[in-house]
């Protein structure tokens, strides 16, 4: 029973994006590992950009700097 946990930042991930991620992940596990879709669990977690860091700073700070 595969369990896949996808974490993304809260930056406009739509219900359609999530649907496609779940569908695509399930199909990949079926194709590559022959796992049945009925027993494949995919969880998408959206993380606030203040709670995600890279290079010693939050994604909030990175995005603010990128936007100028």
């Amino acid at each position: 029973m595969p369990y896949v946990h996808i974490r993304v930042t809260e930056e406009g991930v739509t219900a359609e994006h999530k649907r496609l991620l779940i569908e695509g992940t399930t199909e990949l596990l079926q194709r590559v590992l022959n796992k049945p879709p009925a027993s494949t669990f995919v969880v998408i977690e959206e993380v606030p950009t203040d709670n995600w860091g890279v290079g010693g700073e939050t994604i909030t700070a990175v995005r603010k700097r990128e936007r100028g």
Side-chain angles (χ1 to χ4, degrees):
M1 157 179 12
Y3 170 84
V4 179
H5 189 161
I6 300 172
R7 289 188 176 115
V8 296
T9 55
E10 291 180 336
E11 296 181 281
V13 180
T14 67
E16 177 65 6
H17 292 140
K18 293 174 192 178
R19 185 189 70 73
L20 291 169
L21 284 169
I22 292 167
E23 182 181 291
T25 301
T26 302
E27 288 174 1
L28 179 66
L29 286 167
Q30 182 179 25
R31 188 176 73 247
V32 174
L33 299 178
N34 200 32
K35 298 296 182 179
S39 67
T40 299
F41 295 84
V42 180
V43 175
I44 299 171
E45 178 182 2
E46 292 183 86
V47 180
T49 57
D50 282 342
N51 295 348
W52 193 303
V54 63
E57 60 186 336
T58 66
I59 294 300
T60 302
V62 170
R63 296 295 188 254
K64 186 175 181 180
R65 188 179 67 253
E66 288 173 348
R67 291 180 185 116

